[in-house]
């Protein structure tokens, strides 16, 4: 930090943020929590495809949380449904989704 100040590479905003961070008062970004479960309607749709559901249940809890979070993080119902269909399709093939 001292080197950056000496080289005059710190802006006023950067200096203020650095001082807050050094004082332990830095603003932390909000933590968004991914939903931990599918809605009842989507879970029912997933369970309707028995092979896909069984395959999904055999995956690790961390993968399940990530996949469910991806599905449920969509703002529109249509997008959640499209994402769920992708998870079902890949699970039926015994594969995992690859997030972009």
């Amino acid at each position: 930090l001292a080197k950056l100040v000496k080289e005059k590479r710190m802006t006023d905003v950067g200096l203020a943020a650095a001082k807050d961070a050094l004082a332990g008062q830095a603003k932390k970004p909000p933590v968004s929590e991914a939903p931990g479960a599918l809605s009842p309607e989507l879970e029912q749709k997933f369970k309707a495809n028995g092979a896909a559901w069984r395959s999904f249940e055999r995956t690790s809890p961390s993968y399940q949380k990530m996949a469910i979070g991806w599905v449920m993080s969509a703002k529109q119902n249509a997008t959640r449904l499209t994402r769920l269909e992708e998870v079902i399709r890949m699970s039926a093939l015994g594969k995992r989704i690859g997030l972009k």
Side-chain angles (χ1 to χ4, degrees), residues 24-90:
Q25 301 171 351
K27 295 179 183 175
K28 296 180 180 174
V31 176
S32 63
E33 293 186 23
L38 292 170
S39 67
E41 299 82 22
L42 294 179
E43 185 173 339
Q44 182 180 8
K45 182 171 178 59
F46 200 161
K47 287 181 176 180
N49 186 323
W53 179 252
R54 286 188 298 279
S55 176
F56 184 76
E57 283 189 311
R58 287 191 298 268
T59 62
S60 68
S62 60
Y63 171 76
Q64 291 176 19
K65 182 178 178 180
M66 182 274 306
I68 290 170
W70 178 62
V71 170
M72 296 305 293
S73 68
K75 293 179 182 174
Q76 295 184 6
N77 221 17
T79 307
R80 282 192 290 273
L81 186 57
T82 300
R83 290 180 179 185
L84 178 65
E85 288 169 351
E86 176 66 7
V87 173
I88 291 171
R89 184 180 72 78
M90 294 301 285

